[in-house]
Amino acid sequence: MGSKLWKSKGMRIGAAAAVAAIVVTAIILAKGSKEGEGAEGRSSPAAASPATVRETTSSAAPESSVPVKPVWINPEVQKKVRNTQFPSQDVVVAEYNVMDFGAVADGSADNSGAFQKALIEARNNGGGVVFVPAGNYRFDSTLLIPTGVTLRGDRQYDWSGGAVEGTILEVYAGRGEEKGESFIQLQQASGITNLSIWYPEQRLEKTYAYPWTIQQLSGDSVTVEKVTLVNSYQGIKIGPDWNELHYVHDVSGTALKTGIFLDFTTDIGRLEGVRLSPEVWANSGLPGAPAPEPLFGYTTLHAEGIVMGRSDWEYMSDIRLSGFKNGMRVTTRTNSTETANAQFYRIDIDNCNVALLIEGVNDFGLLVTDSSFKANVGLSPIAIRATEGFKSIAQFNAVTVGGVTKDAVVNEGAGVLSFENSNISGWGEGGHGIVAKDGSLILGGTAFASPSGHVLLEANAKTVKALDSGMGGKLDIANESAAAELKVTQDSPYQLQRLPEIGNTDAPKQPRPATDLLFDVTAEPYKADKTGSSDASIAVSQALSDAGASGGGTVFLPAGTYRIEQPLVVPNGVELRGSWDVPHHTIGGGSVIFTRHGENDVKATPFITLDANAGVRGLNVYYDGQKWDAIKPYGWTIQGKGRGVYAINTTLPDSYLGIDFGTYDTSGHYIDYVAGSPLKEGIFVGGGAEGGFVRNVQFNPHYAGRSNYPGRPVDGEFDKVWSFQKENLDAFRIGDVKGETIFNTFVYGSLYGIHFVSQTGNGGPEAIVVGHGTDGSKKGVYLEAAGPGGLNFVNTELVSISTSDKVYVTLEQGFNSSATFYNTSMWGDPSRSIDVKSGKITMQQGNFTSVGFRGINSGGGEIHLLDSYFQQAGRTHVYAGANVRKMVVSNNLYKGPMGFEDDSPAGTVTGTDLDR
């Protein structure tokens, strides 16, 4: 910790010096402007610092062709760039500071009123960021974060334990009131970031119940990011009232009862980068922090890490839970039998009595990949336990199971547990790796750590399908069932593909502007209209040009409505930024641009052009001239023309063409939480780009319908939007890229959910796709081309609901590469499940809830189908056409007999499913 602290201090000194230099320069410039303003109201070059005067040039023209123009840096505007104790990934822009509303950071005075005044002021002005400088703030009451507002403190963005420093909210409210009002209540489209919350009166030796620390109220789009819950009794509550689109990101903490509870989430919720364990409080360095050992003893007897009730398509990734009675509990909706489906990626749970407890999952199941579940404390620890309420399927790929248990995995329900390329260990003498009291089991390439005691089948066990699993070529099964069906194959020629090496799903460092200079378009000298009454094009363009001439910076659009009818160019090193610090829904107000630029012309100049290393963040773009009875075409909303371009926390409610990072080489591009309801094309990447990220994209027509914007689709018009998208929208088009990472993306309503094409005819995309979801679409994954390295899909969820010809996965004619799917769930009303016309597809652990007329519909190419589950009986599960080159069908589970039709030459189709 010593070296880390020293480094932090050094950074603080550097940051302070930089800010001081900017302020001094700004004052000099301000004086210069008064002494000798030119015709355009700016200081002369002689009055300005060289660091803030550049040739104001167009990115399309050589510098020598443009005359030198001085740039005045408004000193008042620079005050909105907040100096922080700890470095931040982005420039901290906040119009409101709690200190200006009477807040006192002494740990003694009650700050409830001062904070609430600041939050209300921000909301009354349309939204924005309320900044809380580092310090200790006492609260004797609760806080309500209004719609459109983010409460932002100062915390290390890469904090991973140890002393809790920076902005600390000290909570004295609610002691002994478990059912009381939550400390922080978040209205829809709001957030809290970069702060810590601590209960100074909490003691381990006399534990007090408290209400929830943070609660998402009913509605859309709430963010909790970079927050430390030092010693919450109950941490974060989402539900049981209806809610959507929570984003819990980079949250650490200790919980004495429940860390995170979520329920009744009907549009994609995301938990990413969560760390919950007793170590946070024990190592916090705050007064009253207990020793690690007794705290560990308490939480492993009394606390749960994450509890999930009903959630439709929950995305959980990069989660570490340790020191709980139950690490994660997947259960039913409050006062209901409704359950969840979810995908888990890189979940690590240890030091628990039960690492993963499954009490209910819907038919679409759990997809769990590259994870670890270990139990070793309390009475009869179990790593994975499924109770009698488990009646569907949970699929585990590349998962480690173990600890110190009697039985590592126990299934008490009638559902299916599937393990592929996994490792099971940790059971004790007289115990077993897997105990199936009921239900069925699929094992593919799964290793057991001891030569005996692999599987125990008790009375109600149904089926075991096993391929090359066990130890030393043997799977040891103790069969005490009444009539279980066993099919065990060893030394098979049918090799399973192993999960490829997958790097980080996020960039090591987010892009940001080249300088911390701020250009507020509503302030002097620009004075842009933020009511939408007049065109602000000239003012915003001038601010962008000045930022570029100053070596980069942030062009800021405070909350409001901006009418901009002329295209904008964001220069190198410049960020065009609105009032949002977090992902947001259109219902939240904030900064919105209204435009009709490019109407009826798909080839029009893009509305926003990003030069290299330029980006957009925290704003909305809305086409208020769109007509829902007859959809109008428009040009691209955002186009990248160089490397390092980015779009973060940007919402496009009704773009005809959304983001084009594929026409030009945009290597290193970065897209994170772009949301909206695009109509014809959502996101296009390609152009030979390498090393790009597309992550957390959320497309749903309710972004168009739930806004307060004039002309939005209302009532029956909402169906017109979705109907158009189902026939026309290419949501994610992936062209010629290499090393592309596509992570936790989602679309509801499209012709193509995710679509891979070749731009040059000489290759195609190479990408890793983790956690993609296509819902309500004709073609979920549509493959026309891929590079020689092929495509890999992990934790994919596909729902085909449309008008006609609905297919989960299509390998189109001419596709000459490979696509491998690890852990896939498919449902809806498909015409067929998978169309294979050419190329090679490997489907491992596919959950075919609905099959359609045919499951695997093969007219050509090569197919490997392994470890999959077909829930519909009486269908043609697999069809091999006359032109199929090769098909392997092994170790799959069917309800009822396998439905197989074969028109291929003899010997083309092989596999354990065909052995009689």
Side-chain angles (χ1 to χ4, degrees):
M1 284 303 299
S3 61
K4 193 171 186 179
L5 183 61
W6 176 87
K7 183 178 181 182
S8 297
K9 288 180 178 178
M11 289 182 175
R12 293 172 211 162
I13 294 169
V19 170
I22 291 172
V23 171
V24 169
T25 300
I27 292 172
I28 293 172
L29 288 172
K31 290 179 179 178
S33 66
K34 291 179 181 178
E35 293 170 358
E37 285 187 343
E40 296 187 19
R42 294 187 180 86
S43 60
S44 66
S49 152
T52 54
V53 176
R54 298 288 187 275
E55 293 183 6
T56 306
T57 64
S58 166
S59 61
E63 291 188 9
S64 59
S65 66
V66 181
V68 173
K69 292 184 179 180
V71 176
W72 176 60
I73 307 299
N74 188 327
E76 289 301 311
V77 167
Q78 305 316 303
K79 295 177 182 178
K80 298 178 182 179
V81 178
R82 303 298 176 173
N83 185 25
T84 59
Q85 178 178 343
F86 299 103
S88 172
Q89 285 191 309
D90 63 336
V91 177
V92 182
V93 179
E95 294 187 275
Y96 310 92
N97 187 330
V98 295
M99 309 306 281
D100 297 332
F101 293 82
V104 180
D106 63 358
S108 298
D110 179 19
N111 285 276
S112 308
F115 271 58
Q116 199 64 63
K117 286 179 184 177
L119 293 164
I120 291 171
E121 179 73 11
R123 178 56 190 159
N124 289 342
N125 288 321
V129 178
V130 175
F131 180 63
V132 187
N136 289 51
Y137 301 83
R138 175 177 176 135
F139 290 86
D140 293 335
S141 188
T142 60
L143 288 177
L144 176 69
I145 313 297
T147 293
V149 178
T150 301
L151 183 68
R152 175 170 184 158
D154 182 0
R155 193 200 81 158
Q156 294 186 50
Y157 70 85
D158 61 348
W159 182 82
S160 58
V164 175
E165 302 175 291
T167 301
I168 302 175
L169 310 187
E170 301 184 1
V171 185
Y172 289 84
R175 192 180 78 177
E177 302 175 13
E178 182 175 345
K179 304 291 186 182
E181 194 173 68
S182 302
F183 169 55
I184 293 180
Q185 299 163 73
L186 291 151
Q187 290 186 334
Q188 62 182 346
S190 67
I192 58 170
T193 70
N194 292 277
L195 52 82
S196 300
I197 302 173
W198 172 46
Y199 293 80
E201 295 180 313
Q202 185 62 275
R203 293 292 183 271
L204 182 61
E205 59 271 17
K206 186 179 180 181
T207 303
Y208 294 105
Y210 279 87
W212 291 93
T213 301
I214 301 167
Q215 178 181 359
Q216 174 175 352
L217 301 177
S218 184
D220 289 301
S221 197
V222 157
T223 299
V224 180
E225 184 172 31
K226 299 182 179 66
V227 169
T228 304
L229 306 174
V230 177
N231 58 347
S232 293
Y233 187 75
Q234 303 176 103
I236 300 172
K237 180 186 181 184
I238 301 165
D241 296 329
W242 168 81
N243 63 89
E244 295 184 332
L245 298 169
H246 57 260
Y247 186 38
V248 178
H249 180 219
D250 191 7
V251 169
S252 302
T254 296
L256 301 178
K257 184 177 180 183
T258 306
I260 300 173
F261 167 81
L262 59 102
D263 192 13
F264 203 10
T265 300
T266 57
D267 199 3
I268 311 301
R270 291 172 168 85
L271 271 59
E272 180 184 355
V274 174
R275 306 284 186 271
L276 300 177
S277 84
E279 295 177 354
V280 175
W281 187 17
N283 297 336
S284 66
L286 295 171
E293 292 78 7
L295 180 56
F296 178 85
Y298 181 93
T299 58
T300 53
L301 280 175
H302 301 285
E304 296 183 291
I306 297 175
V307 179
M308 177 172 65
R310 175 187 168 182
S311 180
D312 302 346
W313 295 48
E314 188 73 24
Y315 288 1
M316 293 194 193
S317 58
D318 187 22
I319 292 175
R320 305 288 181 269
L321 308 175
S322 182
F324 292 98
K325 181 179 180 181
N326 298 319
M328 185 180 297
R329 179 161 60 95
V330 180
T331 187
T332 59
R333 179 182 166 191
T334 303
N335 300 321
S336 171
T337 59
E338 296 174 3
T339 47
N341 60 288
Q343 51 175 278
F344 297 169
Y345 181 69
R346 290 181 176 168
I347 309 296
D348 187 349
I349 305 177
D350 65 4
N351 291 320
C352 295
N353 180 251
V354 178
L356 175 62
L357 178 60
I358 304 173
E359 296 177 334
V361 179
N362 65 35
D363 285 346
F364 317 137
L366 292 181
L367 307 178
V368 185
T369 302
D370 195 10
S371 297
S372 176
F373 303 93
K374 296 179 180 179
N376 63 344
V377 296
L379 297 175
S380 302
I382 301 172
I384 299 173
R385 179 188 172 200
T387 69
E388 291 182 359
F390 172 61
K391 303 181 187 304
S392 56
I393 183 169
Q395 300 178 174
F396 300 87
N397 194 299
V399 165
T400 298
V401 179
V404 181
T405 69
K406 178 186 176 186
D407 301 309
V409 178
V410 176
N411 184 11
E412 301 164 6
V416 178
L417 293 181
S418 174
F419 292 90
E420 180 178 284
N421 289 331
S422 295
N423 292 278
I424 298 176
S425 65
W427 68 93
E429 184 177 353
H432 294 83
I434 300 175
V435 175
K437 297 176 181 292
D438 200 344
S440 296
L441 181 64
I442 301 173
L443 298 173
T446 290
F448 290 77
S450 299
S452 62
H454 299 160
V455 177
L456 170 62
L457 304 180
E458 295 191 353
N460 295 319
K462 303 295 190 300
T463 305
V464 175
K465 288 287 191 78
L467 180 71
D468 293 334
S469 295
M471 182 180 187
K474 178 185 177 183
L475 180 65
D476 183 50
I477 300 178
N479 188 359
E480 299 176 3
S481 68
E485 176 190 348
L486 278 67
K487 189 170 184 62
V488 177
T489 304
Q490 301 288 11
D491 300 321
S492 118
Y494 314 117
Q495 297 297 313
L496 289 164
Q497 296 294 315
R498 302 190 73 86
L499 196 70
E501 287 290 328
I502 300 175
N504 293 328
T505 56
D506 199 358
K509 185 178 181 182
Q510 279 196 6
R512 60 179 287 161
T515 79
D516 286 356
L517 292 173
L518 187 68
F519 301 81
D520 183 337
V521 301
T522 65
E524 293 286 355
Y526 312 110
K527 303 295 288 182
D529 176 18
K530 68 172 185 176
T531 70
S533 301
S534 60
D535 192 342
S537 301
I538 294 176
V540 175
S541 292
Q542 186 61 59
L544 289 166
S545 178
D546 287 354
S550 301
T554 300
V555 173
F556 179 51
L557 280 63
T561 299
Y562 299 83
R563 167 69 60 184
I564 300 177
E565 300 295 7
Q566 299 301 315
L568 303 175
V569 176
V570 184
N572 190 313
V574 175
E575 178 177 290
L576 180 63
R577 180 169 182 164
S579 64
W580 294 96
D581 249 14
V582 294
H584 55 279
H585 202 282
T586 49
I587 203 167
S591 305
V592 55
I593 295 173
F594 280 16
T595 189
R596 299 190 179 188
H597 169 73
E599 189 170 87
N600 294 316
D601 182 7
V602 294
K603 296 184 179 179
T605 301
F607 177 56
I608 299 173
T609 296
L610 303 177
D611 287 346
N613 305 306
V616 294
R617 184 194 301 261
L619 52 77
N620 300 350
V621 179
Y622 179 64
Y623 292 83
D624 63 324
Q626 188 57 268
K627 300 298 182 184
W628 308 109
D629 286 321
I631 301 292
K632 297 179 185 179
Y634 287 82
W636 288 102
T637 300
I638 300 170
Q639 183 181 74
K641 293 192 72 174
R643 298 186 171 203
V645 293
Y646 60 96
I648 299 171
N649 296 338
T650 298
T651 301
L652 308 177
D654 64 344
S655 292
Y656 189 77
L657 304 176
I659 295 179
D660 171 16
F661 282 2
T663 297
Y664 299 90
D665 179 358
T666 59
S667 290
H669 57 248
Y670 187 81
I671 294 174
D672 194 15
Y673 224 121
V674 166
S677 179
L679 298 168
K680 181 67 174 179
E681 188 147 6
I683 290 175
F684 169 41
V685 297
E690 298 185 11
F693 287 86
V694 178
R695 60 194 318 274
N696 289 324
V697 175
Q698 185 74 19
F699 288 151
N700 192 308
H702 62 54
Y703 282 93
R706 294 180 189 168
S707 77
N708 296 314
Y709 304 151
R712 71 189 185 279
V714 295
D715 301 328
E717 290 179 323
F718 180 87
D719 288 335
K720 294 175 183 177
V721 177
W722 191 45
S723 296
F724 185 88
Q725 291 169 326
K726 286 187 292 183
E727 302 297 328
N728 295 279
L729 175 60
D730 200 346
F732 299 91
R733 181 159 61 101
I734 315 300
D736 291 344
V737 292
K738 291 184 178 179
E740 188 80 12
T741 301
I742 301 170
F743 178 69
N744 282 3
T745 50
F746 176 84
V747 58
Y748 178 67
S750 62
L751 171 60
Y752 303 125
I754 188 165
H755 181 192
F756 292 82
V757 301
S758 174
Q759 293 176 262
T760 64
N762 296 320
E766 295 182 4
I768 289 282
V769 183
V770 178
H772 174 74
T774 293
D775 191 3
S777 302
K778 276 197 171 185
K779 312 289 185 182
V781 175
Y782 195 72
L783 306 176
E784 293 189 88
L791 303 168
N792 291 283
F793 298 83
V794 178
N795 285 8
T796 309
E797 297 184 84
L798 306 172
V799 182
S800 290
I801 301 174
S802 189
T803 53
S804 61
D805 199 33
K806 299 158 284 186
V807 184
Y808 301 130
V809 180
T810 302
L811 277 66
E812 193 49 83
Q813 194 69 46
F815 180 79
N816 59 4
S817 187
S818 64
T820 304
F821 289 79
Y822 304 88
N823 240 349
T824 308
S825 185
M826 295 157 279
W827 70 97
D829 182 28
S831 305
R832 300 168 303 283
S833 295
I834 299 177
D835 280 348
V836 184
K837 301 176 183 179
S838 65
K840 176 183 177 181
I841 183 172
T842 301
M843 174 67 69
Q844 295 180 188
Q845 287 187 301
N847 174 23
F848 294 82
T849 306
S850 302
V851 175
F853 171 69
R854 282 178 176 167
I856 309 301
N857 180 50
S858 303
E862 181 176 335
I863 303 95
H864 295 250
L865 175 69
L866 303 109
D867 298 343
S868 295
Y869 178 42
F870 291 85
Q871 296 194 34
Q872 278 189 316
R875 301 299 176 101
T876 299
H877 300 117
V878 178
Y879 168 71
N883 296 318
V884 171
R885 296 197 311 271
K886 180 179 180 181
M887 179 183 285
V888 175
V889 186
S890 284
N891 211 46
N892 302 293
L893 180 62
Y894 309 85
K895 280 191 176 178
M898 175 188 179
F900 178 51
E901 295 180 13
D902 187 6
D903 290 331
S904 68
T908 301
V909 184
T910 60
T912 63
D913 292 8
L914 305 178
D915 296 345
R916 298 292 185 245

